Amino acid sequence: MKLHLVALLSGTLFGLGLGLSQMIDRDRVLGFLDVAGIWDPTLLFVLGGAVGVTVIAFRFVLRRQHPLLGDRFYIPTKQGLDASLIVGAAIFGIGWGISGYCPGPAITALVLGVWNPVLFLVAMVIGSLAQKWFATNASQLRPRQNA
């Protein structure tokens, strides 16, 4: 129960931070990506603040044997790049550039009462399900070679 409560509080704090920094405003995000037009540097300051807090906090957090409410830290161990990582990052970037949303801000933006985040989230779920289907059926899609 404690873990769920901490997750709820963390998500709420994250959502409030997104709202306060106006990162749920897709026009603000698209303005940051428009480097050839009227560039809006707001997102750069938000990112800088997040990176600064992370760099400082992780030095203390990772010194612990385990998290406060867990038995171990889940830290990525993968060292190399593969096609699925590169393609996934490209699709994420294209989707972010077209819509002005990524998952956290889109969920938070549902409170605005507009359709853009709803459409983004529906497309994200469909894309996730399609990726899962292709990942499990990839071997059946490859052409068979005759021996």
Side-chain angles (χ1 to χ4, degrees):
M1 183 65 178
K2 286 181 185 178
L3 189 61
H4 293 294
L5 184 59
V6 169
L8 177 64
L9 291 173
S10 298
T12 302
L13 180 62
F14 180 67
L16 289 172
L18 288 172
L20 184 63
S21 64
Q22 299 179 4
M23 291 300 106
I24 61 174
D25 179 3
R26 66 185 294 270
D27 292 331
R28 170 109 29 215
V29 174
L30 292 173
F32 172 76
L33 297 174
D34 186 12
V35 293
I38 302 172
W39 185 63
D40 182 353
T42 308
L43 183 58
L44 188 63
F45 295 109
V46 173
L47 290 171
V51 169
V53 168
T54 301
V55 166
I56 293 168
F58 268 40
R59 293 181 186 272
F60 297 103
V61 170
L62 294 179
R63 287 183 185 162
R64 301 180 55 84
Q65 292 294 324
H66 57 83
L68 292 174
L69 300 176
D71 57 344
R72 69 183 181 101
F73 289 105
Y74 293 90
I75 299 173
T77 57
K78 190 173 185 176
Q79 298 292 318
L81 299 176
D82 61 7
S84 64
L85 178 64
I86 293 169
V87 170
I91 291 171
F92 176 87
I94 292 167
W96 188 44
I98 291 172
S99 69
Y101 290 116
C102 58
I107 291 169
T108 305
L110 291 173
V111 302
L112 298 176
V114 295
W115 279 100
N116 290 337
V118 175
L119 296 173
F120 171 84
L121 290 168
V122 168
M124 183 183 77
V125 168
I126 291 170
S128 296
L129 294 173
Q131 187 281 331
K132 184 176 182 178
W133 185 87
F134 280 112
T136 57
N137 296 303
S139 63
Q140 297 172 3
L141 297 175
R142 291 188 189 112
R144 297 181 188 188
Q145 297 177 353
N146 294 332

